[in-house]
Structures are given as structure tokens and as C-alpha cells.
Amino acid sequence: MLCDLDGVIRFYETAPLASLERAAGLTEGTILRVALAPERERPLLLGAIARPQWRESIVSALAGQVSEEQARELGSALVGARFWADEVVVAMLRQVRAHMPLVLVTNATVELEDDLAWLGLADFADHVVSSARVGVAKPDQEIYEIAADRANVAVDRCLFVDDRLENVAAAVALGMTGLHYRRPEDLHEPLGFLLGR
């Protein structure tokens, strides 16, 4: 089983950021649109920069929209946003791992290993394929091939789970079974035989 991290297992606290956006006179979601623009996000996800450099690129992009102080506060709030793991999903995936290899396949930063340790998930999966470590990001076909190779399983024997439809579609195009994740119940049907359902 190949599984995404963010949006499936890990989630971020967004309320403080939304509050800061309102205080700065920005519409909610502005900071994410700025931060996740390809020219800023891609170097982060490919390991070319770490979160501090990403924050500086966000601050620069906000110039003219808000004061520098507000831009720094917004950038720091995004980069330092608190996160947690969905314990329901973690428990289900632990059950799955008892029966088959579990590989995390994630577009992540070079800080991913520290994040997983903080969540208590350092040894959660058999392998972790991080875009920042392998130099390729979803939905590029190569990252799925790397993950299947790490699991020592043919691509057509892999179940791929992700909250982003384009990532699932890329896995399916390669021959994997894909699951578009929205809530924990989505895992019940394909994994019920392993979860005692």
C-alpha cells in the first residue's frame, strides 16, 4: 500500500492563519495561494530549499499587498503551523502494515523526517518516499515507480491513496489501483478484509 501523508494522515491548524489574513485585510486563502505557487513551492518540494528560505520567498511575494511586518507574521504563521496526525487513519494503516508493506509517498520538505518523529511516526511505514529526498514530486510517474520498487512490488499490485485527484489519476495511469481519499471511511471498502470489517 502506497499512501500520501498530508491530507490523509497529517493535517494542519489553519484558524490562526485565517485570523491573521483577516487582520491584514487579505481574503482567506491568500497566503496559501501565494505560498503554493509553483515557482515558490516546487523548490521546497524538490529539496532545493528548506522552510526558512520558503518563508522568505513568501514574504517577498507579499510585498505591496501588506506591510513587511505583516508579511513576515503571515509567512511565519504558515511555515510554523501546528499539525497533527489523524489517529483513526494511523490505527487503520498500522493494521494494514501487519499484512503488507506500507510506503508513504509524499510531496514534502527536507524537514519531513523531523516532522514524522514529532508525530511519533518515525517507524510508522516500511519506507518513506519524500519528493525532497528523491528529487521528483507527484504526479510525476517516477515517484510512483520509486515507491513500488522500495516496496518490492509490481506497480499493478499497488494500492495508492491520496487526497489529490491528479495524484491518484497519475498512479492509475501507471497501472496502480487508486483511491481518492476524503475521509477515513473511504478506506473501509478496499481495506475492510484487513480491518476486520
Side-chain angles (χ1 to χ4, degrees):
M1 179 173 178
L2 313 182
C3 187
D4 182 30
L5 178 67
D6 292 322
V8 178
I9 298 168
R10 176 169 67 172
F11 294 87
Y12 288 84
E13 187 176 329
T14 58
L17 188 58
S19 178
L20 286 173
E21 285 176 319
R22 288 192 298 272
L26 298 174
T27 57
E28 191 171 327
T30 296
I31 187 70
L32 282 175
R33 283 192 296 278
V34 168
L36 302 182
E39 66 272 19
R40 279 177 284 284
E41 185 186 37
R42 190 160 179 77
L44 177 75
L45 297 182
L46 295 182
I49 61 172
R51 283 191 287 230
Q53 292 79 32
W54 184 45
R55 181 186 59 232
E56 289 307 306
S57 74
I58 295 166
V59 171
S60 295
L62 289 171
Q65 296 184 59
V66 295
S67 70
E68 183 176 348
E69 181 182 351
Q70 288 172 317
R72 292 202 169 278
E73 189 175 22
L74 285 160
S76 295
L78 176 64
V79 172
R82 296 174 61 94
F83 53 82
W84 72 93
D86 184 325
E87 292 302 327
V88 171
V89 174
V90 167
M92 284 194 281
L93 294 180
R94 287 192 195 281
Q95 285 183 262
V96 168
R97 189 181 175 200
H99 302 279
M100 66 179 68
L102 173 64
V103 180
L104 294 182
V105 187
T106 180
N107 288 350
T109 71
V110 293
E111 294 91 354
L112 177 63
E113 293 84 0
D114 291 339
D115 291 353
L116 290 173
W118 188 87
L119 288 167
L121 300 177
D123 298 317
F124 174 65
D126 293 287
H127 302 282
V128 176
V129 178
S130 164
S131 62
R133 297 299 182 197
V134 300
V136 63
K138 296 178 292 184
D140 190 297
Q141 174 179 318
E142 188 179 352
I143 196 167
Y144 303 96
E145 293 171 336
I146 291 168
D149 185 63
R150 298 253 177 104
N152 197 28
V153 176
V155 293
D156 63 356
R157 301 279 295 161
C158 294
L159 169 65
F160 177 77
V161 179
D162 200 294
D163 66 311
R164 297 189 66 160
L165 195 53
E166 64 268 29
N167 293 340
V168 175
V172 170
L174 193 59
M176 296 181 176
T177 299
L179 173 64
H180 182 210
Y181 180 90
R182 288 149 297 192
R183 56 191 176 279
E185 291 76 18
D186 292 334
L187 298 172
H188 292 170
E189 184 177 343
L191 302 174
F193 70 106
L194 298 175
L195 301 174
R197 296 180 185 278

